[in-house]
PDB file of all heavy atoms in Angstrom:
ATOM      1  N   ARG A  73      77.701  42.401 -69.890  1.00  0.00           N
ATOM      2  CA  ARG A  73      77.124  43.234 -68.822  1.00  0.00           C
ATOM      3  C   ARG A  73      77.868  43.045 -67.511  1.00  0.00           C
ATOM      4  O   ARG A  73      77.959  43.963 -66.694  1.00  0.00           O
ATOM      5  CB  ARG A  73      75.641  42.852 -68.642  1.00  0.00           C
ATOM      6  CG  ARG A  73      74.951  43.385 -67.386  1.00  0.00           C
ATOM      7  CD  ARG A  73      74.789  44.876 -67.428  1.00  0.00           C
ATOM      8  NE  ARG A  73      74.067  45.385 -66.288  1.00  0.00           N
ATOM      9  CZ  ARG A  73      74.611  45.718 -65.128  1.00  0.00           C
ATOM     10  NH1 ARG A  73      75.920  45.544 -64.941  1.00  0.00           N
ATOM     11  NH2 ARG A  73      73.868  46.226 -64.158  1.00  0.00           N
ATOM     12  N   HIS A  88      74.342  35.556 -73.878  1.00  0.00           N
ATOM     13  CA  HIS A  88      73.064  35.229 -73.249  1.00  0.00           C
ATOM     14  C   HIS A  88      72.363  36.523 -72.862  1.00  0.00           C
ATOM     15  O   HIS A  88      73.011  37.453 -72.355  1.00  0.00           O
ATOM     16  CB  HIS A  88      73.287  34.361 -72.003  1.00  0.00           C
ATOM     17  CG  HIS A  88      74.095  33.132 -72.279  1.00  0.00           C
ATOM     18  ND1 HIS A  88      73.533  31.943 -72.685  1.00  0.00           N
ATOM     19  CD2 HIS A  88      75.438  32.915 -72.245  1.00  0.00           C
ATOM     20  CE1 HIS A  88      74.481  31.041 -72.862  1.00  0.00           C
ATOM     21  NE2 HIS A  88      75.642  31.611 -72.606  1.00  0.00           N
ATOM     22  N   PRO A  89      71.042  36.625 -73.073  1.00  0.00           N
ATOM     23  CA  PRO A  89      70.328  37.867 -72.756  1.00  0.00           C
ATOM     24  C   PRO A  89      70.196  38.085 -71.249  1.00  0.00           C
ATOM     25  O   PRO A  89      69.889  37.149 -70.509  1.00  0.00           O
ATOM     26  CB  PRO A  89      68.952  37.666 -73.408  1.00  0.00           C
ATOM     27  CG  PRO A  89      68.783  36.184 -73.469  1.00  0.00           C
ATOM     28  CD  PRO A  89      70.154  35.600 -73.652  1.00  0.00           C
ATOM     29  N   VAL A  90      70.447  39.323 -70.819  1.00  0.00           N
ATOM     30  CA  VAL A  90      70.380  39.644 -69.391  1.00  0.00           C
ATOM     31  C   VAL A  90      68.947  39.528 -68.878  1.00  0.00           C
ATOM     32  O   VAL A  90      68.714  39.046 -67.772  1.00  0.00           O
ATOM     33  CB  VAL A  90      70.937  41.065 -69.143  1.00  0.00           C
ATOM     34  CG1 VAL A  90      70.706  41.495 -67.699  1.00  0.00           C
ATOM     35  CG2 VAL A  90      72.415  41.115 -69.466  1.00  0.00           C
ATOM     36  N   HIS A  91      67.979  39.959 -69.693  1.00  0.00           N
ATOM     37  CA  HIS A  91      66.583  39.992 -69.260  1.00  0.00           C
ATOM     38  C   HIS A  91      65.759  38.835 -69.837  1.00  0.00           C
ATOM     39  O   HIS A  91      64.532  38.874 -69.791  1.00  0.00           O
ATOM     40  CB  HIS A  91      65.945  41.325 -69.651  1.00  0.00           C
ATOM     41  CG  HIS A  91      66.623  42.495 -69.002  1.00  0.00           C
ATOM     42  ND1 HIS A  91      66.436  42.832 -67.687  1.00  0.00           N
ATOM     43  CD2 HIS A  91      67.528  43.382 -69.499  1.00  0.00           C
ATOM     44  CE1 HIS A  91      67.168  43.895 -67.395  1.00  0.00           C
ATOM     45  NE2 HIS A  91      67.839  44.248 -68.468  1.00  0.00           N
ATOM     46  N   GLY A  92      66.432  37.821 -70.399  1.00  0.00           N
ATOM     47  CA  GLY A  92      65.719  36.695 -70.979  1.00  0.00           C
ATOM     48  C   GLY A  92      65.475  35.585 -69.971  1.00  0.00           C
ATOM     49  O   GLY A  92      65.939  35.631 -68.829  1.00  0.00           O
ATOM     50  N   TRP A 112      67.030  35.498 -65.734  1.00  0.00           N
ATOM     51  CA  TRP A 112      68.448  35.712 -65.465  1.00  0.00           C
ATOM     52  C   TRP A 112      68.710  36.775 -64.398  1.00  0.00           C
ATOM     53  O   TRP A 112      69.672  36.635 -63.628  1.00  0.00           O
ATOM     54  CB  TRP A 112      69.177  36.079 -66.763  1.00  0.00           C
ATOM     55  CG  TRP A 112      69.481  34.910 -67.632  1.00  0.00           C
ATOM     56  CD1 TRP A 112      68.993  34.663 -68.874  1.00  0.00           C
ATOM     57  CD2 TRP A 112      70.356  33.808 -67.334  1.00  0.00           C
ATOM     58  NE1 TRP A 112      69.487  33.483 -69.367  1.00  0.00           N
ATOM     59  CE2 TRP A 112      70.336  32.938 -68.450  1.00  0.00           C
ATOM     60  CE3 TRP A 112      71.137  33.471 -66.234  1.00  0.00           C
ATOM     61  CZ2 TRP A 112      71.068  31.768 -68.490  1.00  0.00           C
ATOM     62  CZ3 TRP A 112      71.878  32.297 -66.276  1.00  0.00           C
ATOM     63  CH2 TRP A 112      71.840  31.461 -67.396  1.00  0.00           C
ATOM     64  N   PRO A 113      67.937  37.888 -64.326  1.00  0.00           N
ATOM     65  CA  PRO A 113      68.222  38.881 -63.276  1.00  0.00           C
ATOM     66  C   PRO A 113      68.259  38.308 -61.869  1.00  0.00           C
ATOM     67  O   PRO A 113      69.073  38.738 -61.041  1.00  0.00           O
ATOM     68  CB  PRO A 113      67.081  39.896 -63.444  1.00  0.00           C
ATOM     69  CG  PRO A 113      66.724  39.827 -64.878  1.00  0.00           C
ATOM     70  CD  PRO A 113      66.902  38.391 -65.258  1.00  0.00           C
ATOM     71  N   ALA A 124      69.943  43.936 -62.182  1.00  0.00           N
ATOM     72  CA  ALA A 124      69.817  44.308 -63.598  1.00  0.00           C
ATOM     73  C   ALA A 124      68.382  44.644 -63.986  1.00  0.00           C
ATOM     74  O   ALA A 124      68.101  44.830 -65.173  1.00  0.00           O
ATOM     75  CB  ALA A 124      70.331  43.160 -64.470  1.00  0.00           C
ATOM     76  N   THR A 134      73.025  44.659 -72.888  1.00  0.00           N
ATOM     77  CA  THR A 134      71.826  43.822 -72.715  1.00  0.00           C
ATOM     78  C   THR A 134      72.144  42.327 -72.738  1.00  0.00           C
ATOM     79  O   THR A 134      71.230  41.513 -72.605  1.00  0.00           O
ATOM     80  CB  THR A 134      70.805  44.131 -73.820  1.00  0.00           C
ATOM     81  OG1 THR A 134      71.438  43.980 -75.096  1.00  0.00           O
ATOM     82  CG2 THR A 134      70.285  45.555 -73.692  1.00  0.00           C
ATOM     83  N   ASN A 135      73.424  41.945 -72.904  1.00  0.00           N
ATOM     84  CA  ASN A 135      73.826  40.531 -72.939  1.00  0.00           C
ATOM     85  C   ASN A 135      75.019  40.316 -72.022  1.00  0.00           C
ATOM     86  O   ASN A 135      75.713  41.272 -71.651  1.00  0.00           O
ATOM     87  CB  ASN A 135      74.188  40.098 -74.362  1.00  0.00           C
ATOM     88  CG  ASN A 135      73.002  40.172 -75.296  1.00  0.00           C
ATOM     89  OD1 ASN A 135      71.924  39.696 -74.974  1.00  0.00           O
ATOM     90  ND2 ASN A 135      73.173  40.782 -76.455  1.00  0.00           N
TER      91      ASN A 135
END
Side-chain angles (χ1 to χ4, degrees):
R73 167 68 176 87
H88 306 272
V90 172
H91 299 284
W112 281 116
T134 55
N135 296 312

